[in-house]
Amino acid sequence: MTAQTPEHDEAHGGGLGSRLNWLRAAVLGANDGIVSTAGLVVGVAGATDSRGALLTAGLAGLLAGSMSMAAGEYVSVSTQRDSEKAALAQEKRELATEPQAELIELTEMLEGKGLDGQLAREVAEQLTEHDALRAHAEVELGIDPDELTNPWHAAGASFLAFTAGALLPLLAIVLPPAAHRLWITVVAVLAALALCGWSSARLGAAPVGRAVLRNVGGGAVAMGVTYAAGSVLGAVGV
């Protein structure tokens, strides 16, 4: 009988951080798109049943939100990328001017990870001989030089995710007849938030119930508050 290799679905390798960044941007963008647009159109629906007003408000919220998310993500990730590049440049200078000190530093860090002194020294020497900058980048800085964060990718992912999320409450509020559009929108939004919470939890190996409850609860509160505000403003003729 041949031994079977245990199977598991844990993610490994330097691509994990990149995938988690994409997941984070997509989940945040979709959640924000759903909740903010739903809150906006439901609030307007509390004040008026005009399909034109709802469409105008929803489209304005979609465009403003998607551009804001993309710009914010671009600035944030650009700052992170600049910091990573500066750290790599500093490490490269230190390797060129103080190679022995850097070897000692790498050895000590490997010892801190559990290797004994002699083995840590041998591993440090082999890593340095193979690719000194990569060794220090990964062990000391936690950076993969070949997979620096890309601000354009993050911005694009946020823009598309927000737009996809925002389209659902927008279509749900303008397509049905006036008598049914509010409850259809609420149900569609809560269902989408539940699915989004479930998906993010499964992909991130996190507790599903908590993620779903957070998403659904936050969306329900947002719609309730904005609808109440819209109803009050509509009642007083503002």
Side-chain angles (χ1 to χ4, degrees):
M1 179 181 296
T2 58
Q4 294 184 342
T5 303
E7 294 182 0
H8 53 83
D9 57 1
E10 291 181 80
H12 296 279
L16 175 61
S18 177
R19 289 193 296 273
L20 289 178
N21 281 337
W22 277 84
L23 173 62
R24 176 183 62 85
V27 169
L28 288 177
N31 274 342
D32 202 14
I34 295 170
V35 175
S36 62
T37 305
L40 179 60
V41 296
V42 167
V44 174
T48 177
D49 61 358
S50 168
R51 179 175 275 117
L54 293 170
L55 180 60
T56 300
L59 283 176
L62 185 155
L63 292 173
S66 60
M67 294 302 296
S68 176
M69 282 290 294
E73 195 71 13
Y74 177 82
V75 170
S76 174
V77 176
S78 291
T79 301
Q80 179 182 344
R81 184 182 179 90
D82 290 343
S83 298
E84 291 173 341
K85 292 174 72 174
L88 289 172
Q90 175 66 24
E91 199 63 40
K92 189 174 182 179
R93 287 193 297 270
E94 292 175 354
L95 285 168
T97 58
E98 300 176 314
Q100 194 59 34
E102 289 298 296
L103 178 61
I104 294 173
E105 182 182 40
L106 182 58
T107 301
E108 292 174 347
M109 285 187 291
L110 291 173
E111 287 182 25
K113 292 181 179 293
L115 298 182
D116 65 60
Q118 181 60 35
L119 180 58
R121 177 72 179 198
E122 293 176 1
V123 172
E125 289 176 346
Q126 290 184 32
L127 290 174
T128 298
E129 182 178 346
H130 177 69
D131 190 332
L133 180 59
R134 174 177 293 278
H136 282 268
E138 293 181 347
V139 176
E140 181 179 348
L141 304 175
I143 297 174
D144 185 342
D146 294 332
E147 292 193 18
L148 298 183
T149 51
N150 189 312
W152 289 108
H153 289 171
S158 293
F159 179 89
L160 293 175
F162 186 99
T163 299
L167 281 173
L168 184 139
L170 176 58
L171 295 176
I173 202 74
V174 299
L175 293 182
H180 303 292
R181 61 171 56 127
L182 186 59
W183 73 262
I184 289 176
T185 301
V186 171
V187 171
V189 165
L190 295 183
L193 290 175
L195 178 60
C196 193
W198 179 86
S199 299
S200 65
R202 292 291 295 172
L203 290 171
V208 171
R210 190 180 306 166
V212 171
L213 184 61
R214 278 197 302 261
N215 275 18
V216 172
V221 170
M223 288 187 290
V225 170
T226 56
Y227 182 76
S231 298
V232 170
L233 293 174
V236 300
V238 176

